[in-house]
Amino acid sequence: MPDQADIDDALTRLRAEGYTDAANDQQLYGELTRAATCYEAADGANSPMPRHWPFATAAWAPGSPGANTATAAAFRVMDAERLARAS
């Protein structure tokens, strides 16, 4: 299980890759949750891109199992933040 520092690092990386608040606010159909699910299912750096990956092919970048879990958690945090901004 990743610790908070791992999740914070994943959040920083994803935001630098363009998953900003403004961009995430446009994701109205569960894209961030689907992305989290894809990373939760990835078992390593060579995991194939799932059919239901919601973003561009080039954005699929799995890593170690621990890194994938941290990335999944980061996507879930970003979706929770998006929902909080919308209410």
Side-chain angles (χ1 to χ4, degrees):
M1 178 135 210
D3 62 19
Q4 188 61 49
D6 295 330
I7 297 168
D8 290 342
D9 288 345
L11 281 166
T12 299
R13 180 179 49 79
L14 288 172
R15 288 184 174 127
E17 292 173 3
Y19 297 95
T20 62
D21 289 350
N24 293 343
D25 288 348
Q26 302 303 310
Q27 308 305 324
L28 304 176
Y29 302 102
E31 294 91 344
L32 297 170
T33 298
R34 281 188 308 200
T37 302
C38 291
Y39 272 96
E40 288 166 352
D43 60 2
N46 294 321
S47 295
M49 184 181 70
R51 268 192 0 232
H52 59 280
W53 173 246
F55 301 116
T57 301
W60 176 247
S64 70
N68 292 340
T69 302
T71 300
F75 272 116
R76 292 199 183 279
V77 167
M78 289 189 298
D79 200 34
E81 291 172 345
R82 178 192 67 80
L83 290 170
R85 286 191 300 277
S87 35

